[in-house]
Amino acid sequence: MKSPQRSSDDMEAGGDVPKSRNHSRRRGRGIFVAVDASIRFKSAMGCEKEIELGSHDQPTATDVALSQSEEQPVQVEIELPASYQDEFGIRLEELVSISRDGGLSVLKRFDGVSGLSPLLHTDLDKGICGSHEDIRRRRNTFGSNEYPLKKERNFWMFLWEASRSFTLIVLVLAALASLLLQIKTKTISHGWYDEAGIIVAVILVIFVTAISNYNQSLQFEKLNDEKRNICIEVTRNGRLVEVPIYDVVVGDIIPLKSGDQVPADGVLVSGYSLQIAEYESMGTNRTVHKDTDIDPILISGSKVEDGIGRMLVTSVGMNTQWRMPACIPLYTGQETPLQVGLNRVVTAFGLISISVALVVFLIESCLCFMGRTKNTDGSPMFDAGKTTSDEKIDMVIKFIILGVTIVVVAVPEGLPLAVTLNIAYMTRKLLGEKVLVQKLSACEAMGSATMIVCHKTGILTLNQMEVVDVCAGRVRTHNLDTIAAELSPLLISWITEGIALNTNGSVYHPEGQSEPEVFGSATERAILNFGVKLGMNFDEIKSKSTIFSVSPFNSRRKRRGVAVQLHDSQVRVHWKGAAKTILASCQWYMDKDNIAAMDQERIFHFEKIIDEMSKEGLRCAALAYRTFTDEAFPDIPESNLVLLAIIGIKDSCRPGISQAIQQCRNAGVKVCMVTGDDLLTAKAIAMQCGILRGTLDEPANTAILASEFASMSEADREEIAENIVVMGRSSPDENLLLLEALRKKGHVVAATGKGIRDAPSLRQANISLAMGIGGTAIVKECSDIIILEDNFTSIVKVIQWGRFLYTNAQRFLQFRLTVNASALIICVVVAVHSHEIPLNVAQLLWINLLNDTFGAWALASEPPMDNLMRRPPVRKGEPFITNLMWAKFVAQVSFQVSALLYLNFHGESILKLENKSLDQANKVKNTVIFNCFVFCQVFNEVECRTSYQGNTFSGILKNHLFLGTILVNVILQIIVIECLGIFFYTARLNLKQWLISIGIGFFSQVIGRFPFPAFPYLRNEDHI
């Protein structure tokens, strides 16, 4: 039977392709083409290497397009040179039509991908030349791979949004009505100060709120820009290079593998077992098989579910069929659970404040119109026979302003703002730690994580692999520099042939350099480098054979195979994969130059070598082959193989990984390592990382094979799941079972993912973490957080910042509720008692501005404390406001209310104001109350730097933003008191009165030092 032979369209992704089919055509012959008179030839492309374009027996793309046009242009005879590079041989409209309905017929008209590639000046083996001039020219001709983005909101939109607050609108309308009445009754010279002060304060609040929200929007937009910055691999000038997705151009050759997302429209060059999910782009829930003959068209946005392949890009950006960028979850302003919870607090306080305000309004109105309310001279404010209509209206407006002021005081509107500021600050800092947050609520959940299920390769290890141990031809050596001299030439030739042909990687030899450049995954690079040390000539080996079948690697089979047609008509099969898996398929082994039968003694010998390598923490792989003579087969044979070599690949642990694991252990977070490696290798790596300590107190079943775990009953899996810290020979299916068992036990689980089959596990986890380097596009898309450098220490940082977000929200809530409750009680008590409030509307708006905006900025600027990772996680269902927070809240409110009410009722004697007029004495007294209240909040802000009983001044000098915000608060307060009294109705204070204000404020700091943990009810809350 004749051996199977295939065309270049069947070559595997990432590897070289056989030469294009040879068409018997004459080069450089004259042809007639229809061209418009306006067509001009441009300058040469500037490539480093000329790509020869042969003429065609059939008309060119330009011929066909122009011959079908309504207006027939002038026929011009042009002699095309052999190395024609001045113009592309196809128009944009024709390329775009390939990915539309009927595109296959258009492709066939160009004689398939082999005929299309010369028109685009693309070498199917080496891609485009990739020079700057080449890239520029392709963009100018065919467009760039960019999409119009949604226009971002400008500052004026945020200003309009901030100005739509209902309470602020009511205040402004009431102040304007009162202003007009005051001007009418008191003349314009004296009747506008109080009301104008309210309006100025409202405008200031609106502008500051708009500026704050606009800055947050800019920060989140920067985060979205980082999310859009996706990098993919393309083949240019014979080498694999990584470029941003927006730099992909028409003519690029792009390798595809399981989990990738198609970045542009294109045509399949070669593919094996290529399954493409087109449900997101085509609108159907189906997976289609792609091949080079029946269905080679690839659509932008579709996903590779299985197999490998290579594509030629034909349309980019807005010229693609669906005109859609890669699906990336961007920040859209959706509220996190913490923000939703705080909004409920705001709503609750709003209902309470509206109720209180309504009661105060009714009481004040009734007392006033009954004649009980007195003026400063003792006369009744309302006299039925003397009070004018304007005065009555003014009274009602004053009472409305009083009620609205109570609402403004009581509603802590800045709580959600504080969380947003914290999230913006946290995401910016995490981006500096090489962590990209895609779902903001995941950071909150990460603070409560109790278990991390993570992969080994690239996360706990460096993913910088190297072959350090080899067993081949009865030779066992660790010195790869001399191994070529110890092995027979025949064995070396078969090993290097298997390495060169059975790979997704490549070897590139730059001109003028002795060392080659090796491309591919970390494992592929390690094996290819091993082949280079054996003297492998990668390009020569590839040129002497034709690959016609590939069995791609996957986590289930743990092997990869390739069948090649040699030039001597032989068919050879090469396999590589997990050492014991390959060994089980071998009936023979290479004994120097001879093939020997595999008996039980040799099997035991090879298994012992594999175990020795595994105990040293090496990843063990094996190479095997089999030769057929003039034989065809539908599938690549997997049995009766000849073992060539067993290799041990070293992947060192990351520096500092042991300390990071210990940090998690101290924080009450358990780390479970899942890996496809042998259990012995997994345990050795776990010991090096500190996951396994080898102590007597470690529970049973800490290390287990995934197959054993999967074979257990559901109840048994739940029982031992908490104890497992190492799972060897694990696949995504077993990982999913582990996650389900852990979640049923009540754990908050964070899980890492890399391949497409990890997607179900990521959906099952509470927090999904995708790897930025090793992760596929699909995994990144469905994840909550991307660890850009695949570093486990970054995961620890996310836990720390998640806890920081939670505790910071607690701190600001405690601070803000103290302000609101104190101001509400003071205003209501004084209003009912004296029918006026010591803090006017402008002053309360100013306090709100200082606390909501500057207070949020100050507390949000606090970096995570080290002791956050020395406390257990926050338990599910635990109250947000803890007992210790309630105790500190009650203490602060009690002190502030007592001190300021005492100052309100006895201020004249305390401040020695008996000699002043009644109006001036009240003005000075109320100014001191206002000043004391502000300084109480300044010192309370310092106290709230920690929500537990600790040193509130620890690290304060290092936080320049916090100190700067406090300093700005104090400076602005001085300006308000000393310079803006006409608007805020304040009097200038002397040194004694300033010291009294600061002293009362400082004493609120002393109140916070009360030994609350002395009480058993408050003692065991160290996790706050």
Side-chain angles (χ1 to χ4, degrees):
M1 185 178 291
K2 190 176 179 180
S3 300
Q5 297 186 17
R6 302 287 174 92
S7 68
S8 62
D9 293 323
D10 291 325
M11 291 302 298
E12 66 166 320
D16 291 338
V17 181
K19 296 179 179 179
S20 302
R21 283 175 287 185
N22 186 20
H23 302 280
S24 55
R25 294 173 180 152
R26 291 172 297 143
R27 297 181 178 178
R29 65 185 178 91
I31 62 173
F32 287 94
V33 293
V35 295
D36 191 277
S38 62
I39 294 180
R40 298 291 184 268
F41 289 113
K42 299 181 181 179
S43 58
M45 186 170 60
C47 294
E48 297 176 6
K49 176 183 176 181
E50 293 184 350
I51 302 177
E52 192 172 67
L53 176 62
S55 60
H56 296 268
D57 291 332
Q58 62 184 28
T60 65
T62 308
D63 296 339
V64 176
L66 293 179
S67 63
Q68 294 175 353
S69 63
E70 295 181 0
E71 297 182 6
Q72 293 296 328
V74 180
Q75 299 290 327
V76 181
E77 183 175 356
I78 300 176
E79 182 75 12
L80 293 180
S83 58
Y84 173 62
Q85 297 187 104
D86 293 69
E87 290 291 339
F88 292 102
I90 186 170
R91 299 194 318 176
L92 174 61
E93 295 81 0
E94 295 169 310
L95 281 175
V96 171
S97 66
I98 292 176
S99 57
R100 302 299 193 266
D101 292 339
L104 186 59
S105 61
V106 177
L107 182 63
K108 289 180 178 178
R109 196 177 68 197
F110 294 112
D111 203 13
V113 68
S114 60
L116 181 63
S117 60
L119 299 178
L120 295 174
H121 300 173
T122 298
D123 186 301
L124 292 180
D125 292 338
K126 300 182 178 180
I128 64 176
C129 76
S131 66
H132 292 297
E133 177 63 20
D134 183 27
I135 300 299
R136 183 195 63 78
R137 197 160 167 272
R138 290 175 187 273
R139 284 178 178 165
N140 291 341
T141 305
F142 302 116
S144 59
N145 199 31
E146 295 178 349
Y147 303 83
L149 300 176
K150 181 181 177 181
K151 189 176 181 180
E152 295 301 320
R153 299 163 64 190
N154 56 34
F155 172 74
W156 302 109
M157 297 177 70
F158 285 98
L159 190 66
W160 168 248
E161 188 178 87
S163 65
R164 294 166 61 188
S165 171
F166 177 74
T167 54
L168 295 181
I169 291 173
V170 173
L171 274 178
V172 170
L173 293 177
L176 284 174
S178 180
L179 175 61
L180 295 175
L181 286 172
Q182 292 293 334
I183 292 175
K184 178 181 177 182
T185 56
K186 297 182 182 180
T187 74
I188 196 169
S189 301
H190 302 88
W192 60 278
Y193 302 127
D194 294 347
E195 289 74 13
I198 295 174
I199 295 172
V200 170
V202 168
I203 292 174
L204 189 60
V205 168
I206 289 173
F207 267 91
V208 172
T209 303
I211 291 170
S212 177
N213 291 337
Y214 180 62
N215 286 333
Q216 293 169 44
S217 174
L218 292 179
Q219 290 185 29
F220 284 122
E221 182 55 31
K222 290 179 181 177
L223 182 65
N224 288 340
D225 289 340
E226 189 67 29
K227 291 179 182 179
R228 296 186 188 102
N229 187 24
I230 302 173
C231 290
I232 63 172
E233 285 187 336
V234 301
T235 303
R236 289 180 180 174
N237 200 24
R239 68 175 73 182
L240 279 175
V241 294
E242 196 172 76
V243 300
I245 192 172
Y246 299 118
D247 288 348
V248 172
V249 294
V250 170
D252 265 327
I253 298 293
I254 300 178
L256 301 173
K257 62 181 181 299
S258 176
D260 286 347
Q261 183 165 287
V262 179
D265 288 358
V267 180
L268 188 64
V269 176
S270 62
Y272 298 98
S273 307
L274 194 60
Q275 304 291 323
I276 302 291
E278 294 186 338
Y279 47 87
E280 285 200 3
S281 55
M282 302 295 290
T284 58
N285 295 318
R286 67 190 184 98
T287 299
V288 296
H289 174 75
K290 295 289 182 177
D291 57 33
T292 57
D293 298 323
I294 299 175
D295 188 5
I297 310 300
L298 298 171
I299 304 300
S300 174
S302 55
K303 297 175 176 62
V304 183
E305 289 196 344
D306 198 9
I308 55 176
R310 291 190 304 138
M311 67 174 285
L312 170 67
V313 175
T314 57
S315 300
V316 294
M318 295 302 292
N319 294 320
T320 58
Q321 178 170 346
W322 296 103
R323 301 181 181 180
M324 56 185 293
C327 300
I328 313 162
L330 303 179
Y331 173 75
T332 57
Q334 184 177 5
E335 291 182 332
T336 68
L338 195 54
Q339 287 173 310
V340 172
L342 292 178
N343 277 329
R344 291 173 183 164
V345 175
V346 173
T347 302
F349 269 78
L351 293 174
I352 293 172
S353 64
I354 290 173
S355 303
V356 173
L358 184 61
V359 171
V360 170
F361 172 77
L362 294 175
I363 292 175
E364 288 296 309
S365 299
C366 292
L367 291 176
C368 177
F369 290 107
M370 290 171 61
R372 301 287 183 88
T373 306
K374 307 294 182 181
N375 291 315
T376 54
D377 58 1
S379 61
M381 184 178 293
F382 174 78
D383 192 327
K386 298 180 181 180
T387 304
T388 65
S389 298
D390 289 344
E391 290 174 338
K392 293 175 184 177
I393 294 174
D394 190 47
M395 290 176 191
V396 173
I397 292 176
K398 293 291 186 185
F399 297 145
I400 292 175
I401 291 177
L402 175 62
V404 174
T405 302
I406 291 175
V407 174
V408 171
V409 168
V411 178
E413 292 179 325
L415 288 179
L417 169 66
V419 176
T420 307
L421 283 171
N422 274 284
I423 290 174
Y425 178 71
M426 175 190 64
T427 51
R428 188 175 71 252
K429 290 294 185 181
L430 281 175
L431 195 56
E433 299 285 351
K434 302 303 179 183
V435 174
L436 183 59
V437 179
Q438 299 199 121
K439 190 176 179 182
L440 300 180
S441 59
C443 289
E444 298 176 14
M446 202 65 180
S448 302
T450 59
M451 179 78 74
I452 301 174
V453 178
C454 72
H455 292 75
K456 172 186 73 71
T457 304
I459 304 174
L460 302 174
T461 62
L462 290 170
N463 202 26
Q464 297 174 1
M465 300 190 187
E466 179 186 9
V467 177
V468 296
D469 197 349
V470 178
C471 175
R474 289 187 177 269
V475 174
R476 175 88 183 272
T477 181
H478 295 80
N479 188 357
L480 299 188
D481 294 329
T482 61
I483 189 173
E486 301 180 48
L487 300 180
S488 68
L490 179 62
L491 180 56
I492 291 177
S493 68
W494 281 344
I495 291 176
T496 55
E497 182 183 90
I499 292 174
L501 298 177
N502 191 17
T503 182
N504 274 335
S506 61
V507 179
Y508 176 75
H509 293 269
E511 295 183 6
Q513 297 184 22
S514 58
E515 293 296 325
E517 296 179 6
V518 178
F519 302 98
S521 67
T523 306
E524 295 279 14
R525 290 197 304 272
I527 297 175
L528 286 170
N529 279 317
F530 168 56
V532 170
K533 291 184 178 181
L534 290 176
M536 175 183 69
N537 190 323
F538 185 83
D539 293 332
E540 182 181 346
I541 294 174
K542 299 282 277 189
S543 66
K544 291 181 178 179
S545 58
T546 302
I547 298 175
F548 63 85
S549 184
V550 174
S551 176
F553 179 89
N554 61 53
S555 56
R556 290 177 181 171
R557 294 164 53 82
K558 300 190 183 303
R559 60 166 65 188
R560 185 186 194 276
V562 61
V564 298
Q565 176 76 55
L566 303 179
H567 286 183
D568 58 3
S569 299
Q570 286 188 332
V571 176
R572 188 165 293 155
V573 170
H574 284 281
W575 284 97
K576 69 178 178 183
K580 289 187 177 179
T581 303
I582 297 295
L583 179 62
S585 300
C586 293
Q587 299 295 322
W588 315 86
Y589 71 96
M590 281 298 297
D591 186 3
K592 295 185 179 180
D593 281 340
N594 302 316
I595 298 177
M598 186 82 71
D599 54 19
Q600 283 301 119
E601 181 181 352
R602 298 311 300 173
I603 293 175
F604 177 78
H605 171 71
F606 288 130
E607 287 180 344
K608 181 180 178 182
I609 291 175
I610 293 171
D611 289 344
E612 289 174 356
M613 291 182 180
S614 298
K615 289 177 181 178
E616 295 175 6
L618 303 182
R619 170 178 286 185
C620 298
L623 306 175
Y625 87 103
R626 183 179 173 186
T627 301
F628 299 87
T629 303
D630 196 26
E631 184 176 345
F633 35 80
D635 298 315
I636 303 177
E638 301 182 16
S639 58
N640 294 327
L641 303 180
V642 180
L643 180 67
L644 291 174
I646 297 172
I647 56 177
I649 304 173
K650 182 179 181 180
D651 187 12
S652 301
C653 293
R654 287 186 177 273
I657 188 65
S658 298
Q659 293 84 341
I661 297 295
Q662 187 60 44
Q663 270 188 292
C664 290
R665 191 175 285 117
N666 295 339
V669 181
K670 182 176 285 188
V671 179
C672 175
M673 182 183 79
V674 292
T675 176
D677 288 341
D678 185 79
L679 187 59
L680 290 175
T681 303
K683 291 171 70 174
I685 295 293
M687 290 287 289
Q688 296 173 21
C689 294
I691 295 175
L692 279 176
R693 290 177 289 181
T695 57
L696 296 176
D697 59 344
E698 280 190 329
N701 297 319
T702 54
I704 190 172
L705 276 171
S707 56
E708 294 180 18
F709 180 76
S711 63
M712 296 179 179
S713 66
E714 185 175 340
D716 291 340
R717 286 199 297 266
E718 289 181 26
E719 183 178 349
I720 71 164
E722 293 179 306
N723 297 333
I724 296 174
V725 294
V726 176
M727 184 181 285
R729 289 288 179 228
S730 178
S731 70
D733 295 334
E734 286 89 12
N735 296 346
L736 180 60
L737 292 175
L738 177 61
L739 289 171
E740 289 174 348
L742 289 171
R743 290 200 62 178
K744 287 179 181 178
K745 292 291 287 185
H747 284 279
V748 178
V749 187
T752 64
K754 297 191 292 184
I756 184 174
R757 295 186 62 225
D758 289 323
S761 300
L762 293 181
R763 295 189 186 99
Q764 179 66 30
N766 298 94
I767 310 103
S768 54
L769 308 167
M771 299 300 102
I773 299 174
T776 60
I778 296 178
V779 167
K780 293 175 186 177
E781 179 185 326
C782 69
S783 67
D784 301 327
I785 298 171
I786 299 178
I787 310 299
L788 296 176
E789 291 189 343
D790 295 8
N791 196 338
F792 183 82
T793 55
S794 298
I795 300 177
V796 179
K797 287 290 184 183
V798 177
I799 295 175
Q800 190 174 16
W801 279 96
R803 294 186 176 189
F804 155 82
L805 179 63
Y806 187 86
T807 55
N808 233 18
Q810 286 181 313
R811 291 191 303 227
F812 188 77
L813 178 63
Q814 179 181 324
F815 166 71
R816 197 65 182 91
L817 292 186
T818 301
V819 178
N820 289 89
S822 301
L824 179 63
I825 294 173
I826 293 169
C827 288
V828 171
V829 171
V830 177
V832 173
H833 181 270
S834 307
H835 311 298
E836 61 180 14
I837 55 176
L839 303 172
N840 60 44
V841 178
Q843 292 170 357
L844 288 171
L845 287 172
W846 177 250
I847 291 171
N848 259 19
L849 176 64
L850 291 181
N851 294 328
D852 276 350
T853 304
F854 294 107
W857 285 348
L859 291 176
S861 67
E862 283 294 317
M865 297 168 290
D866 293 336
N867 54 20
L868 285 174
M869 297 301 289
R870 292 196 292 270
R871 307 177 209 163
V874 178
R875 296 181 294 273
K876 268 187 176 181
E878 189 171 297
F880 189 70
I881 304 177
T882 63
N883 295 332
L884 181 58
M885 288 174 66
W886 279 120
K888 297 178 76 172
F889 166 75
V890 171
Q892 280 289 343
V893 171
S894 300
F895 166 73
Q896 292 186 24
V897 169
S898 302
L900 297 183
L901 285 180
Y902 186 81
L903 194 60
N904 180 75
F905 296 124
H906 303 281
E908 290 84 354
S909 59
I910 294 173
L911 300 172
K912 309 297 183 185
L913 302 176
E914 293 87 351
N915 297 329
K916 295 183 179 292
S917 65
L918 186 59
D919 284 344
Q920 184 64 22
N922 282 335
K923 189 174 184 180
V924 172
K925 179 191 69 176
N926 289 342
T927 301
V928 172
I929 291 173
F930 169 51
N931 210 29
C932 288
F933 191 80
V934 169
F935 276 99
C936 279
Q937 309 323 316
V938 169
F939 284 100
N940 186 29
E941 203 169 331
V942 177
E943 172 63 24
C944 287
R945 288 185 68 242
T946 173
S947 56
Y948 65 100
Q949 199 71 11
N951 182 9
T952 58
F953 295 99
S954 175
I956 193 171
L957 296 179
K958 296 179 181 179
N959 191 346
H960 299 151
L961 183 56
F962 182 87
L963 292 176
T965 305
I966 295 294
L967 183 61
V968 169
N969 276 7
V970 173
I971 293 174
L972 290 178
Q973 180 64 14
I974 294 173
I975 293 173
V976 166
I977 297 295
E978 300 296 329
C979 303
L980 301 178
I982 190 172
F983 296 109
F984 289 88
Y985 198 69
T986 58
R988 292 187 176 183
L989 303 181
N990 57 37
L991 180 60
K992 178 183 177 182
Q993 292 161 348
W994 274 104
L995 291 176
I996 290 174
S997 302
I998 296 172
I1000 292 176
F1002 178 75
F1003 199 75
S1004 68
Q1005 175 79 36
V1006 178
I1007 294 296
R1009 299 294 87 206
F1010 185 81
F1012 295 102
F1015 298 91
Y1017 186 63
L1018 307 173
R1019 190 176 298 157
N1020 298 322
E1021 296 199 5
D1022 293 335
H1023 59 273
I1024 301 173

